[in-house]
Amino acid sequence: MADRYFEVNKINVRYGDIQVLWDIEFTADKGEIVALVGSNGAGKSTTVKSCAGLIRPFQGNIRLDGHDLTGAACRTFIDHGVILVPEGRQLFPSMTIYENLEMGASSKAAKAAKKDTIERIYNWFPKLKDRKNQLAGTLSGGEQQMLAIGRALMAKPRVLLLDEPSLGLAPIIINEIFKELTEVNRQLGMTILIVEQNARKALQLSHRAYVIQTGKIMMEGKSDDLLHNPEIEEAYLGGKKK
């Protein structure tokens, strides 16, 4: 595999004695949006957690801009700019929107840029600015997802990892969030890896994509090509749209 900005090279992962990922391999260039799509239980979340340092592969390696992060603590991944927006958001419900955003700026560089970063986030997600003093636990699901993404952006990520960001949200909210992710990518040139069961939305958002099935990469290509691939349409997109 040629050197790329973010590389996952043949990682294998076990839960106890049960292997769940086999030789997972994909790349993302700087400023590229890459999607990992597949059905529930295919291994998507395990893959993205491995990319964030939450799970350690027993084989293979993960590299960012030439630095081997394999086996490092999760804090090391964060310090190198690999930031995860977890499934379920995992906010601090008894803290305000503003306080949750502040929690994301943990590094020295992020703290120095905190004021400017918050203003950018408020521009992308105006609802957060309007309710900055509201407790996170009282927000709707869509607002909580916006806040979770905003908190991750406060860390000034080099690679933003998103684990099922559309889960449980209404279509209109999904469209709004994905539109702003496109803006984040365009304005900051940020590398984004999105793991999604909603394959159609993920393929519409991303530049390239990989299809995972039972812990293995089964197909890869440009997202637009996969979006119009009859096999993908049948398996993941509910058949060809009329």
Side-chain angles (χ1 to χ4, degrees):
M1 182 189 298
D3 287 343
R4 306 290 280 271
Y5 186 63
F6 187 67
E7 304 172 76
V8 176
N9 300 315
K10 295 186 180 299
I11 63 168
N12 290 266
V13 172
R14 294 191 186 108
Y15 289 139
D17 294 331
I18 300 173
Q19 186 165 346
V20 293
L21 297 183
W22 285 264
D23 290 334
I24 294 292
E25 187 171 37
F26 60 87
T27 64
D29 286 331
K30 193 169 185 177
E32 187 177 34
I33 303 177
V34 173
L36 185 65
V37 300
S39 58
N40 188 35
K44 303 186 304 299
S45 288
T46 298
T47 300
V48 79
K49 287 176 182 177
S50 299
C51 291
L54 294 172
I55 296 174
R56 296 186 179 187
F58 69 87
Q59 286 180 339
N61 61 77
I62 299 167
R63 300 174 66 85
L64 172 62
D65 201 17
H67 297 280
D68 192 345
L69 300 176
T70 316
C74 184
R75 182 71 234 183
T76 301
F77 280 75
I78 293 171
D79 289 342
H80 278 80
V82 182
I83 307 297
L84 173 67
V85 180
E87 182 181 346
R89 298 138 201 165
Q90 297 181 23
L91 300 171
F92 300 99
S94 60
M95 295 171 64
T96 67
I97 286 175
Y98 184 81
E99 289 167 339
N100 269 271
L101 291 174
E102 280 192 310
M103 292 296 290
S106 58
S107 70
K108 185 176 180 180
K111 287 177 181 177
K114 181 176 71 173
K115 184 177 179 180
D116 289 341
T117 306
I118 283 181
E119 285 307 310
R120 278 183 175 269
I121 291 165
Y122 286 161
N123 285 333
W124 289 318
F125 302 113
K127 292 179 182 178
L128 300 184
K129 183 175 184 178
D130 295 340
R131 305 180 186 186
K132 62 184 178 182
N133 295 318
Q134 186 172 333
L135 298 181
T138 65
L139 300 175
S140 69
E143 291 162 348
Q144 288 188 11
Q145 187 63 66
M146 293 173 192
L147 179 54
I149 294 170
R151 183 181 61 183
L153 292 174
M154 289 295 296
K156 298 185 70 65
R158 300 167 72 192
V159 179
L160 180 66
L161 310 174
L162 296 137
D163 190 2
E164 301 283 6
S166 75
L167 190 66
L169 302 182
I172 191 171
I173 301 300
I174 296 171
N175 289 339
E176 183 178 349
I177 289 173
F178 277 46
K179 177 185 175 183
E180 296 311 324
L181 287 173
T182 300
E183 281 301 302
V184 169
N185 171 255
R186 185 184 68 81
Q187 293 181 27
L188 302 182
M190 184 181 295
T191 302
I192 297 175
L193 173 67
I194 181 168
V195 166
E196 258 294 343
Q197 191 171 347
N198 188 334
R200 186 178 300 279
K201 294 303 299 183
L203 292 175
Q204 290 171 341
L205 172 73
S206 58
H207 301 112
R208 290 189 303 113
Y210 296 79
V211 180
I212 185 170
Q213 183 178 333
T214 59
K216 299 177 182 178
I217 300 292
M218 306 302 293
M219 191 179 298
E220 63 180 275
K222 293 182 179 179
S223 297
D224 191 59
D225 292 341
L226 293 177
L227 192 60
H228 298 94
N229 181 300
E231 185 177 344
I232 299 299
E233 287 180 335
E234 184 64 31
Y236 300 105
L237 306 179
K240 190 169 183 177
K241 294 189 82 174
K242 303 295 185 183

